[in-house]
Amino acid sequence: MENRQPPRTVLRVRQLQTRLDGAPLERVRALEAPLARAAADGVDLVALPEMFCCPYETPQFPRLAEPEGGPVWSACAELAARNGLWLSAGSVPERDGGRVYNTAYVFDRQGRQAAKHRKMHLFDIAVDGGQHFRESDTLSAGSAVTTFGTEFGRLGLCICYDMRFPELFRLMALEGALAVLVPAAFNFTTGPAHWELTLRARALDNQVYCVATAPALDPAASYHAWGHSLVADPWGALVAQLDDAPGEQTVELDMARPAQIRRQLPLLQHRRTDVYTLNGR
């Protein structure tokens, strides 16, 4: 008689809040010990920050960009397979022909690419007295809503500035996502004001977990990342959060909880799609 294992409902996630220093392959090699330790600790998925192997500077993106299947991609795939872990490999600059994208890859336990997301919304902002940044000077925008299947249920994937757009999170939820992975790099202008607030709102509105992983602050870098990697739950509660220093945290996600909350507070069922269109917009 076949021995059927019950489906796994607890997803153990470890977030690695690292600095963005060093050459790309040096940054990947620096992950060898943390991933081996995560595997020994029974972690299922390790999450890395946005541009985890590249300084967050627009001129650096095309200089360090690699095609899918390049050295950084291959090294990440090998790390996932060696340790038997899911690896949300933050994001990296990806070159495709004449274009460069801010691209997030996820690898499964066998090192196969399970998901790929190109940042849809480019970070072009000019805050009076605060941060000025233009990703569109060197990056192109993606156009795909990204979800993927795991043994724990369906997950979503987006990058940093994407999280400010509720429509994208709603589409991932409607595609069945129970948790959304968000490699990100907010700064000291937007971080204190909007980081936790936005992630908890996206989690609450869509009744999903938000797992947002950021770089640590590097005072010597030109871009000062806010850090504060966090997890918010489907009730909108803050589960765990780091400060701005290099570090890591492990959180257990009860993947049955989104369905439980959606039964009690059926927001997705109560949507009025018959009245949500305004003159075709």
Side-chain angles (χ1 to χ4, degrees):
M1 182 175 179
E2 185 179 357
N3 181 23
R4 291 184 176 273
Q5 296 295 322
R8 299 182 64 189
T9 59
V10 176
L11 170 61
R12 285 176 56 83
V13 175
R14 179 164 295 174
Q15 297 174 282
L16 302 184
Q17 184 166 284
T18 59
R19 287 182 174 167
L20 309 182
D21 53 359
L25 285 176
E26 290 176 357
R27 292 300 315 137
V28 180
R29 283 194 290 271
L31 298 171
E32 291 180 359
L35 262 69
R37 187 170 61 248
D41 291 344
V43 168
D44 298 297
L45 183 148
V46 171
L48 306 178
E50 182 180 20
M51 291 294 181
F52 83 95
C53 63
C54 174
Y56 199 71
E57 301 169 357
T58 52
Q60 300 289 358
F61 300 153
R63 186 179 76 83
L64 296 175
E66 298 178 0
E68 179 182 326
V72 168
W73 185 100
S74 298
C76 288
E78 196 277 330
L79 272 177
R82 185 195 313 168
N83 293 287
L85 294 165
W86 286 87
L87 177 60
S88 174
S91 76
V92 299
E94 178 212 359
R95 184 177 299 282
D96 186 357
R99 294 178 180 269
V100 176
Y101 298 92
N102 184 344
T103 300
Y105 297 110
V106 176
F107 300 95
D108 69 13
R109 297 180 189 273
Q110 289 75 44
R112 299 171 300 203
Q113 181 177 300
K116 173 181 178 177
H117 178 78
R118 289 171 168 170
K119 192 173 189 177
M120 293 176 62
H121 305 91
L122 298 183
F123 186 54
D124 289 0
I125 67 160
V127 178
D128 292 343
Q131 185 71 43
H132 290 236
F133 206 87
R134 283 187 57 82
E135 282 189 327
S136 66
D137 286 346
T138 55
L139 294 177
S140 297
S143 58
V145 178
T146 306
T147 64
F148 61 99
T150 75
E151 67 266 38
F152 303 94
R154 199 153 196 83
L155 306 185
L157 179 65
C158 67
I159 302 173
C160 199
Y161 194 51
D162 285 340
M163 78 189 211
R164 288 186 177 271
F165 298 87
E167 299 92 336
L168 175 57
F169 264 73
R170 178 51 49 87
L171 289 172
M172 288 188 282
L174 292 175
E175 287 191 359
L178 304 176
V180 178
L181 305 173
V182 190
F186 271 41
N187 54 68
F188 271 70
T189 298
T190 58
H194 300 148
W195 172 252
E196 180 182 327
L197 173 67
T198 303
L199 287 160
R200 291 177 66 182
R202 295 294 91 81
L204 172 66
D205 289 345
N206 298 285
Q207 299 169 315
V208 297
Y209 289 100
C210 285
V211 180
T213 309
L217 169 65
D218 182 355
S222 63
Y223 185 90
H224 290 171
W226 174 240
H228 290 80
S229 298
L230 67 76
V231 175
D233 77 3
W235 195 251
L238 182 64
V239 177
Q241 183 168 202
L242 294 170
D243 56 18
D244 60 15
E248 60 184 49
Q249 64 185 5
T250 303
V251 178
E252 293 190 350
L253 309 185
D254 178 359
M255 300 300 280
R257 192 149 186 256
Q260 294 167 355
I261 291 175
R262 290 171 184 179
R263 284 195 298 270
Q264 298 170 58
L265 190 63
L267 301 183
L268 297 181
Q269 294 180 35
H270 289 167
R271 292 178 306 119
R272 286 294 306 275
T273 55
D274 57 322
V275 297
Y276 287 165
T277 300
L278 180 63
N279 296 328
R281 288 182 286 166

